[in-house]
Amino acid sequence: MVIDKIKKRNVDNGQVKSKVDIPIGKWVKCDKCKEILYKENLHKNFGVCPKCNNNFRLSSRRRIEQIIDEGTFKEFNLKIETTNPINFPGYKEKLKALKAKTNIDEAVKCGIGEINSEKVVICVMDGNFVMGSMGSVVGEKITYSIEKAIKLKLPIIIFCVSGGARMQEGIISLMQMAKTSAAVAKLHKAGNLYISVLTDPTYGGVTASFAMLGDIILAEPGARIGFAGPSVIKQTISQELPEGFQTAEFMLEKGFVDKIVERKEMKDILYKLILLNK
Amino acid sequence: MKEKKVTAWDRVKIARDSKRPTSLDYIENIFDEFIELHGDRYFSDDKAMVCGLARIGEMNFTVIAEQKGRTTRENIERNFGMPNPESYRKSLRFMKQAEKFHRPIITFIDTKGAYPGIGAEERGQGESIARNLMEMSDLKTPIIVVVIGEGSSGGALAIGVGDQILMLENAIYSILSPEGYATILWKDASKAKEAAEIMKLTAKDLYDLKVIDKIIKEPEGGAQKDVKHTSEQIKKEILKSVKELNKKTVSDLVNDRYNKFRDMGEYAKVK
Ligand SMILES: [Zn+2]
């Protein structure tokens, strides 16, 4: 890990005055500018590198802390797990190990909470769990949340981060695209507000289903957003991809995103959008 | 059904055989009349998707079909049956028209997947597929889907949200091509054969998983051996399905379609 290198460096980026009192393991290196950051300060800055504005990947727990009023989040307690529909070798064991390691039970966390006292249904995907991929459980939790929003006449906000459909569940994962999109159709018919927020990265079967179906689609700066992955495209067309291809800024320019929102302003913008749709 | 020693990989090869009938071959044999109509009204006419109006006896249909070529020239024209967003937008335009005129929709799936290109991404490949999935789920007219060859990824599903999903015996339907699957999971496209065996992509597997409703038998050696006979079998199933679906009220039809896809997913309560 980066820890050895960190110890040898004299860190002083304005964030950290002295490294003496800070135990190893509380440091993190920015992938983009290579700056060494004190984790606590990084979290206070919404998980954004103070030096280069790089958005660190957020866990669903941290994301909910940033968006939802303290103490108001109530998770839907579905308590479901996949049954390994195509008997993919080692899949159940992999998930079990991952659950133990990450302390989260699937690639999306869903529930009800308040944004400046405005009640919403919120789903937050988690890239730390099989790349935020969508299998049966993610599909069911998203669908359940949408149906719950319809029933309770609440706006729904979905934070997306995903590599796409979950390979280990094969065709059943593919069908989750139809299932969640059908639920969104119902939601729109019922007249509920749906805000989709695209974060880094949002790809494949998630892009090609609920992520792109919001009344309003927001994105975080620099987030990579697309259907096909860049390596697949490069391989297919045998040429280099243009600078900035498949970024949030690219998607805004092409007309597929409504607005790019900085993390520290996300809660406020969501709040205002909810009010403007009341 | 008779048990034959045909591996999943054998089916992949049959499904991709260059002599295998394409959508237009079936359309010609199934319908008494067919007029192709073009364009998505926004950008262009993408030839990887064929859309038009068709007739069997007194009954009118809207036909939506992914179209591969057979020769190199045809394949270049058809972009190897890999749709750009314009294909999906064209198909949606015709599906909406079908709804307006209460015509049943027949879709034919045959694609390696949506085209992964720069232009496709610039013009919203993901958005175009997502919109089709959403709109099809709520379309107030019967939709019958026929998987005839390769059905890979969201590019196939984008015209696959139907009331009745039929599939030819040697067709395949999967989350991704076996090559793509092997690349993502094992970083090795040459393991496509192994991938095919575990992906559950054959008609029998998909029937067992309740992803499709009906397997249509093919002649020995595959549909390519007898296009007329295979078309007859497809036609019979289409007519049977339409008759059943026409008995339903529109609200039952749409509710049943919602629940059909709502029920897809394999999970259990955590113990
Ligand atoms: Zn940085």
Side-chain angles (χ1 to χ4, degrees), chain A residues 30-35 37 49-54 56:
Chain A
C30 174
D31 281 345
K32 215 166 139 196
C33 72
K34 311 294 175 207
E35 193 63 38
L37 306 166
C49 172
K51 203 184 168 207
C52 74
N53 267 330
N54 179 29
F56 278 67

Coordinates of all heavy atoms in Angstrom, one line a residue, chain A residues 30-35 37 49-54 56, ligand 1:
Chain A
C30 N -4.3 11.0 -3.2 CA -5.2 11.3 -4.3 C -4.7 10.7 -5.6 O -3.5 10.9 -5.9 CB -5.3 12.8 -4.4 SG -6.2 13.3 -5.9
D31 N -5.5 9.9 -6.2 CA -5.2 9.2 -7.4 C -4.7 10.2 -8.5 O -3.9 9.9 -9.4 CB -6.4 8.5 -8.0 CG -6.5 7.2 -7.3 OD1 -5.6 6.8 -6.5 OD2 -7.6 6.5 -7.4
K32 N -5.3 11.4 -8.5 CA -5.2 12.3 -9.6 C -3.9 13.2 -9.4 O -3.1 13.2 -10.3 CB -6.4 13.2 -9.7 CG -6.8 13.5 -11.2 CD -8.2 14.1 -11.2 CE -8.3 15.3 -12.2 NZ -9.5 16.0 -12.0
C33 N -3.8 13.9 -8.3 CA -2.7 14.8 -8.1 C -1.6 14.2 -7.2 O -0.6 14.8 -7.0 CB -3.1 16.1 -7.6 SG -3.7 16.1 -5.8
K34 N -1.8 13.0 -6.7 CA -0.9 12.2 -5.9 C -0.6 12.9 -4.5 O 0.3 12.5 -3.8 CB 0.5 12.1 -6.6 CG 0.4 11.5 -8.0 CD -0.1 10.1 -8.1 CE -0.4 9.7 -9.5 NZ -1.4 8.6 -9.6
E35 N -1.4 13.9 -4.2 CA -1.2 14.5 -2.9 C -1.6 13.5 -1.8 O -2.5 12.7 -1.9 CB -2.1 15.8 -2.8 CG -1.9 16.7 -1.7 CD -0.5 17.3 -1.7 OE1 0.0 17.6 -2.9 OE2 0.1 17.5 -0.7
L37 N -3.3 13.0 1.7 CA -4.4 13.7 2.4 C -4.7 13.0 3.7 O -4.7 11.8 3.8 CB -5.6 13.9 1.6 CG -5.5 14.5 0.2 CD1 -6.7 14.2 -0.6 CD2 -5.2 16.0 0.3
C49 N -10.8 16.1 -3.1 CA -9.4 16.5 -2.9 C -9.3 18.1 -2.8 O -9.7 18.7 -3.8 CB -8.5 16.0 -4.0 SG -6.8 16.6 -3.8
P50 N -8.8 18.6 -1.7 CA -8.8 20.1 -1.6 C -7.8 20.7 -2.6 O -7.9 21.9 -2.9 CB -8.2 20.3 -0.2 CG -8.1 19.0 0.5 CD -8.2 17.9 -0.6
K51 N -6.9 19.9 -3.1 CA -5.8 20.4 -4.0 C -6.3 20.5 -5.4 O -6.2 21.5 -6.1 CB -4.6 19.6 -3.8 CG -3.4 20.4 -4.3 CD -2.1 19.7 -4.3 CE -1.0 20.4 -5.0 NZ 0.0 19.5 -5.5
C52 N -6.9 19.3 -5.9 CA -7.2 19.2 -7.4 C -8.7 19.0 -7.7 O -9.0 18.9 -8.8 CB -6.3 18.1 -8.0 SG -7.0 16.5 -7.6
N53 N -9.5 19.0 -6.6 CA -11.0 18.9 -6.8 C -11.4 17.5 -7.3 O -12.5 17.3 -7.7 CB -11.5 19.9 -7.8 CG -12.0 21.1 -7.0 OD1 -12.5 21.0 -5.9 ND2 -11.9 22.3 -7.6
N54 N -10.5 16.5 -7.2 CA -10.8 15.1 -7.6 C -11.9 14.6 -6.6 O -11.8 14.8 -5.4 CB -9.6 14.3 -7.5 CG -9.8 12.8 -7.8 OD1 -10.7 12.5 -8.6 ND2 -9.0 11.9 -7.3
F56 N -13.3 11.8 -4.7 CA -13.1 10.4 -4.3 C -14.4 9.6 -4.3 O -15.4 10.2 -4.2 CB -12.5 10.4 -2.8 CG -11.1 10.7 -2.7 CD1 -10.6 11.9 -3.1 CD2 -10.2 9.7 -2.3 CE1 -9.2 12.2 -3.0 CE2 -8.8 10.0 -2.3 CZ -8.3 11.2 -2.6
Ligands
ZN1 ZN -6.0 15.6 -5.8

